[in-house]
Amino acid sequence: MMPSATAFGASVDYADRRWQIWRTRADGEVTLLAQDPEARPTFRRVSWDSVTPCSTPAVGPSRAEEMLQRFHQQSRAAESDNARHLKKVEVRWLREGPPSELTASAPGSRVGYVVATLCPMTRGHLAMAQAAVQDLDLDAVYFMVWPFTYIRGFHSSPLEPWAARQQHLDWPLRMQIARRSIADFGDTRIRLLEAAQDWYGESSRMYSRKDPSSVYWTGTWYVTRKLKFWLERVTPGPFAHYAVCGTEQLARDVAVLVEGTADRLAWSTYSIAHHLTLHSVYASPRPIQREGVEAFAPPEGAANDVIFGSETPMSRMCATDVRFGTMPPAPLDELVMPGAAALIRGNGWWGYN
């Protein structure tokens, strides 16, 4: 579905500072408006029929330089901060030992992870994970289910009222649905990180109002880092780790660089520079997103990359629509796996019976 009005976008090749600006009309016609006269014709654009093109302000040579500098500044700061924070926890982590799910079933050296509320886990979640497995040749993908652990200061207010408004289930019930869904799906490479709830709780020790960098070691960031820490110790290298997400999250990442937006809390505006010091990012097309997608090429020397994934037949599916019944009419069994549908109906969750 193309936008109803003309949209402008830009693509920057950060390694050689090449830039191009394009216009996309409602009928889908793309016109190249301007480009670096020395640029080779390697114009990159994210263009899925169901995804709105980028509509950020045009990026010229001066802005490209700003974006490049901002990325490198954030990356250097992240590398320094990561080493400092790891020293605080490494001894404790080694004393605890790896989580049982990593030792019981070898995860392999090519691993992805997905952070989600999974309320409920839908066929869309599973299709995205399987697409990542196939596109990246992964040994495993771990779902890390957010338990809505409130961390004072890190979160602006307690999470219970928001969770109630969104009709979210408690973490154990969401995990029940996810376990049944994964069992029905039958791909043993798709797994749950059972340790996530405890790890989210212990991450509260890392947050400090006096240390802005601590946000990148709190909540989901902490859980991701701890998982990566153990993946690299229980499996032989070389390692390749990927954060698997929808393109709506990537759009927020890159907007920080494009717009020069000041960093907010890490769960609100993610930092692509911090991501790429930790892992590569696999972005799956999400037609439901409101922001356009910026074609992003990491600067030369970046440790990791951004990979745009394959759109799946389930890409339009959203767990929120399942809870609130806002999807186009469809049987529950078409939205979730059979075991999950039986569990939802058996408990009368969200009015299904």
Side-chain angles (χ1 to χ4, degrees):
M1 179 176 63
M2 301 303 295
S4 58
T6 298
F8 292 86
S11 179
V12 181
D13 184 325
Y14 293 82
D16 294 327
R17 316 280 175 84
R18 292 190 296 268
W19 58 277
Q20 293 169 310
I21 302 170
W22 72 86
R23 178 179 63 197
T24 305
R25 293 195 332 200
D27 61 5
E29 180 181 341
V30 177
T31 303
L32 185 62
L33 300 181
Q35 66 175 349
D36 182 342
E38 298 180 359
R40 295 191 299 273
T42 55
F43 173 44
R44 297 182 60 206
R45 186 170 69 91
V46 181
S47 56
W48 299 287
D49 290 342
S50 56
V51 176
T52 304
C54 172
S55 58
T56 54
V59 179
S62 62
R63 293 299 308 281
E65 180 70 18
E66 290 177 27
M67 293 164 68
L68 183 67
Q69 291 177 353
R70 191 173 295 121
F71 181 92
H72 282 309
Q73 288 169 355
Q74 291 185 9
S75 296
R76 286 194 296 269
E79 290 171 357
S80 175
D81 292 334
N82 291 344
R84 176 168 54 87
H85 288 298
L86 181 60
K87 288 182 179 179
K88 300 177 183 178
V89 297
E90 187 172 16
V91 173
R92 174 164 54 85
W93 287 357
L94 290 170
R95 186 170 58 245
E96 293 172 359
S100 59
E101 53 259 56
L102 296 190
T103 56
S105 179
S109 59
R110 297 182 61 82
V111 178
Y113 23 79
V114 184
V115 178
T117 59
L118 294 191
C119 193
M121 175 176 270
T122 68
R123 291 178 182 268
H125 289 118
L126 294 163
M128 179 179 72
Q130 191 170 62
V133 166
Q134 294 169 347
D135 288 348
L136 303 173
D137 191 26
L138 299 182
D139 300 305
V141 172
Y142 285 89
F143 277 94
M144 302 185 295
V145 183
W146 182 30
F148 308 145
T149 301
Y150 171 62
I151 301 172
R152 186 182 296 275
F154 181 72
H155 297 112
S156 58
S157 60
L159 301 175
E160 289 84 353
W162 168 83
R165 289 194 301 272
Q166 292 297 315
Q167 300 184 28
H168 282 304
L169 302 176
D170 290 341
W171 188 84
L173 299 179
R174 288 180 282 139
M175 289 294 284
Q176 284 185 39
I177 294 174
R179 290 188 196 102
R180 291 199 183 188
S181 299
I182 290 174
D184 285 347
F185 196 65
D187 189 333
T188 58
R189 296 168 296 184
I190 299 175
R191 307 171 185 181
L192 284 171
L193 182 65
E194 300 280 351
Q197 184 180 36
D198 292 338
W199 290 1
Y200 269 100
E202 67 188 55
S203 79
S204 63
R205 309 175 194 174
M206 301 297 293
Y207 179 70
S208 170
R209 289 179 181 271
K210 298 179 181 179
D211 184 357
S213 71
S214 68
V215 299
Y216 296 106
W217 276 78
T218 306
T220 293
W221 288 97
Y222 177 91
V223 175
T224 300
R225 293 180 191 281
K226 192 169 184 179
L227 174 60
K228 185 173 183 287
F229 176 88
W230 282 117
L231 286 171
E232 293 179 354
R233 282 159 178 78
V234 301
T235 56
F239 310 106
H241 297 151
Y242 300 85
V244 178
C245 66
T247 46
E248 75 277 11
Q249 292 183 346
L250 176 66
R252 291 202 295 271
D253 276 6
V254 179
V256 174
L257 293 175
V258 174
E259 300 166 7
T261 309
D263 280 347
R264 289 171 284 175
L265 292 181
W267 48 263
S268 177
T269 296
Y270 303 89
S271 165
I272 192 65
H274 280 76
H275 265 305
L276 295 181
T277 61
L278 181 62
H279 45 225
S280 291
V281 176
Y282 174 89
S284 176
R286 293 285 287 157
I288 64 168
Q289 71 187 76
R290 293 181 176 86
E291 300 113 330
V293 178
E294 177 76 23
F296 181 75
E300 184 177 9
N304 294 293
D305 200 1
V306 175
I307 300 96
F308 292 100
S310 305
E311 187 170 349
T312 76
M314 302 294 178
S315 292
R316 294 180 179 275
M317 193 169 294
C318 178
T320 302
D321 293 328
V322 176
R323 296 196 305 276
F324 288 92
T326 51
M327 288 283 292
L332 181 61
D333 293 272
E334 292 184 9
L335 307 177
V336 300
M337 299 302 292
L343 191 59
I344 292 169
R345 289 194 185 98
N347 287 278
W349 292 326
W350 309 302
Y352 293 99
N353 50 48

